[in-house]
Amino acid sequence: MKRVDDFRLKLGKKELVPIMIGGMGVDISTAELALEAARLGGVGHISDALIHDVSDRRFDTEFVKGKTKFYKANINNSDKSIIQFDLGHLAEATRLHVGKTMEAKRGDGMVFVNIMEKLTMNAARETLQVRLNSALDAGIDGITLSAGLHLGSFGLMADHPRFRDAKLGIIVSSVRALQLFLRKTARLDRLPDFVVIEGPLAGGHLGFGLDWAQYDLATIVAEIAAYLKAEQLDIPLIAAGGIFTGSDATAFLEHGAAAVQVATRFTVANECGLPAKVKQEYFKASEEDIIVNTISPTGYPMRMLRNTPAIGSGIRPNCEAYGYLLDGTGNCAYITAYNAQIVLHPDGKNISVMDKTCLCTHMRNYNCWTCGSLTYRLKDTTRKAADGTYQTLSAEHIFKDYQFSVDNQILLPA
């Protein structure tokens, strides 16, 4: 009976344990979590989502405070078009977070950074270019391009000296998305080093419509593998979404996947950035508590816990402090929804905005409880104390359970 440890992920000259921990944003996939994955021989992710706030918390910088002060006069103005990120500050925050993480890296594994195209920041091209190149400057092992098609992202890095050295990959949910990406980047003569195929059971934003339940990860992996074979392209495929046990992972590896990306079980790791009380909410969740809704201003459906505080919140938009989802004209779907409620409630009190949420603020405060479809099974991976709380787990325990378990078994903690 095979197990995950019988396989290896080959990226260039590196041979890795074929386990990748996904890049959960706003420091949920912390440096500590990513470093554990690397120490154990796999791949860990950090994320550059709300990178200024992450830097402020970790390194006592004051990027958010400075930006808020600079745009203070605009706080009560519904027009956010003047709000821009200081590109120098963006580069500095990225280099701090990535650089300090890489300085601490030990072991034979790798650390990647997850970079989302949908963090448009009122200057999508300019800010994305700074984020990508600053991560390369800081020595990141690789970059995973997520939350969008990234048709121009390789081009934004093409002049960087590490463009062909660092491992660069993209997350897709269909053959068509990968075809578009490869077609756009063909002129650069630079294939992605890996492709993460994220199925409909993943946490957070989904690369599907509300018909997500009609799709199946194994089918999509097989379709993309067949396409690459027909095109004679040798690109490692990494299956993601709903892979809960080592046996689940082994099944994908036996059918041609080079590795798996997992995240849900690591949300309750000691090294995960979620507050302790939120981890308990994940443990307590039932299958009925996990929903897919459209409250994200990005336009993508998003999976989360039904009782997440972000749902229905009428908080004032905090674009002066954050503003990561502002488009090129300073608009965001949440601002529009919020302003519609202000028309009905001019005093600004007791506002509830049901159709969208201020994702920046709620993610920053860990009040948007995104989760994978199998979060309700987390309680089966640990022990429940007499006071009703669940024991959190070390990242090493979870990683090794994926690596060595067989027969769909889950190793409980001591």
Side-chain angles (χ1 to χ4, degrees), residues 247-274:
S247 298
D248 293 337
T250 301
F252 280 99
L253 297 173
E254 287 183 312
H255 286 87
V260 295
Q261 178 171 284
V262 290
T264 293
R265 287 186 60 186
F266 289 94
T267 59
V268 291
N270 299 327
E271 294 84 352
C272 174
L274 285 175

Side-chain angles (χ1 to χ4, degrees), residues 44-48 97-98 111-115 135 140 142-145:
H45 272 96
I46 55 176
S47 167
D48 82 333
H97 186 37
V98 174
V111 174
F112 293 174
V113 59
N114 181 288
I115 293 185
I140 197 69
I143 297 175
T144 300
L145 305 172

Side-chain angles (χ1 to χ4, degrees), residues 288-302:
E288 292 72 29
D289 291 330
I290 299 166
I291 61 172
V292 174
N293 59 35
T294 57
I295 67 171
S296 170
T298 66
Y300 282 81
M302 189 162 58

Side-chain angles (χ1 to χ4, degrees), residues 118-144:
K118 291 304 180 185
L119 297 184
T120 47
M121 302 167 73
N122 199 7
R125 187 181 189 279
E126 295 80 3
T127 53
L128 183 56
Q129 186 167 34
V130 168
R131 292 157 59 203
L132 293 166
N133 286 282
S134 297
L136 293 175
D137 289 342
I140 197 69
D141 287 325
I143 297 175
T144 300

Side-chain angles (χ1 to χ4, degrees), residues 288-297 302-315 334 351-359 361-363 366-371:
E288 292 72 29
D289 291 330
I290 299 166
I291 61 172
V292 174
N293 59 35
T294 57
I295 67 171
S296 170
M302 189 162 58
R303 179 173 280 115
M304 62 181 63
L305 294 185
R306 186 186 300 276
N307 61 334
T308 184
I311 299 175
S313 169
I315 194 169
Y334 177 69
I351 289 179
S352 176
V353 183
M354 293 301 299
D355 55 329
K356 297 298 173 187
T357 193
C358 186
L359 205 56
T361 303
H362 290 304
M363 284 290 191
Y366 302 105
N367 282 331
C368 189
W369 300 342
T370 58
C371 65

